[in-house]
Amino acid sequence: PIFALIPLYSILLYAGEPLASATTLAWADIVAFTVMVWMPFLGWEVGRKLRAPEAEDPYDIYSPALGHAGAVSCVIAAQTISLSVALFLTLKWSLGWVYVSIIAAAFALALTANLRFLIAPSDASANLKPFTEIFAASVLAGQLIGFGKNML
């Protein structure tokens, strides 16, 4: 249910005014921002439901359905899309490099964990959830810096 609120959050954040007209909003920017915020949660959803081959169970997990490489690739793709949009918006909106650097650092950490599981799937390397959470938190927390700088 919270995912349905992300576009609303994006519109309200971008509009800057409670009664902004829908015709005056830059919808391409709103869609890009929504994608940037939503993709880490897609990565989190898939990443938290990965299991090593020896630990798979009948619980609803993505490893058997997508294969280990496919599931991890989905997480990597979601995080890469989010980082790419963050870079695009940083340049377009002059958010400052601290904003995108926070997200890039979390991306590097998450990518390391993703590749570790991809190369050597095991119980230890299958726990991608904390890394997907760090990445998602960086996308959200980075906004405080990026948008906060522009509000001063």
Side-chain angles (χ1 to χ4, degrees), residues 2 7 13 16 36 43 46 48 55 74 77 109-110 116 148:
I2 194 165
L13 182 68
M36 180 191 73
V46 175
R48 73 186 182 95
C74 182
L109 180 67
R116 182 182 65 162

Side-chain angles (χ1 to χ4, degrees), residues 36-47:
M36 180 191 73
V37 173
W38 185 74
M39 282 292 148
F41 292 102
L42 174 63
W44 171 79
E45 173 63 22
V46 175

Side-chain angles (χ1 to χ4, degrees), residues 100-142:
V100 79
S101 296
I102 291 169
I103 299 170
F107 175 82
L109 180 67
L111 182 62
T112 301
N114 294 333
L115 293 175
R116 182 182 65 162
F117 178 70
L118 188 61
I119 293 167
S122 67
D123 279 342
S125 65
N127 187 14
L128 298 180
K129 184 179 174 187
F131 302 100
T132 61
E133 289 171 345
I134 289 169
F135 181 74
S138 77
V139 171
L140 298 175

Side-chain angles (χ1 to χ4, degrees), residues 61-135:
I61 56 176
Y62 291 102
S63 308
L66 300 173
H68 294 91
V72 174
S73 296
C74 182
V75 175
I76 293 170
Q79 292 169 342
T80 301
I81 290 168
S82 183
L83 175 64
S84 299
V85 174
L87 180 59
F88 168 76
L89 294 178
T90 295
L91 295 171
K92 183 168 186 176
W93 294 343
S94 301
L95 295 177
W97 289 103
V98 173
Y99 171 68
V100 79
S101 296
I102 291 169
I103 299 170
F107 175 82
L109 180 67
L111 182 62
T112 301
N114 294 333
L115 293 175
R116 182 182 65 162
F117 178 70
L118 188 61
I119 293 167
S122 67
D123 279 342
S125 65
N127 187 14
L128 298 180
K129 184 179 174 187
F131 302 100
T132 61
E133 289 171 345
I134 289 169
F135 181 74

Side-chain angles (χ1 to χ4, degrees), residues 1 3 10 16 27 33 37 49 54 69-70 75 77 90 95 106 118 120:
F3 296 117
S10 302
W27 287 103
F33 181 82
V37 173
K49 292 185 177 179
E54 64 274 5
V75 175
T90 295
L95 295 177
L118 188 61

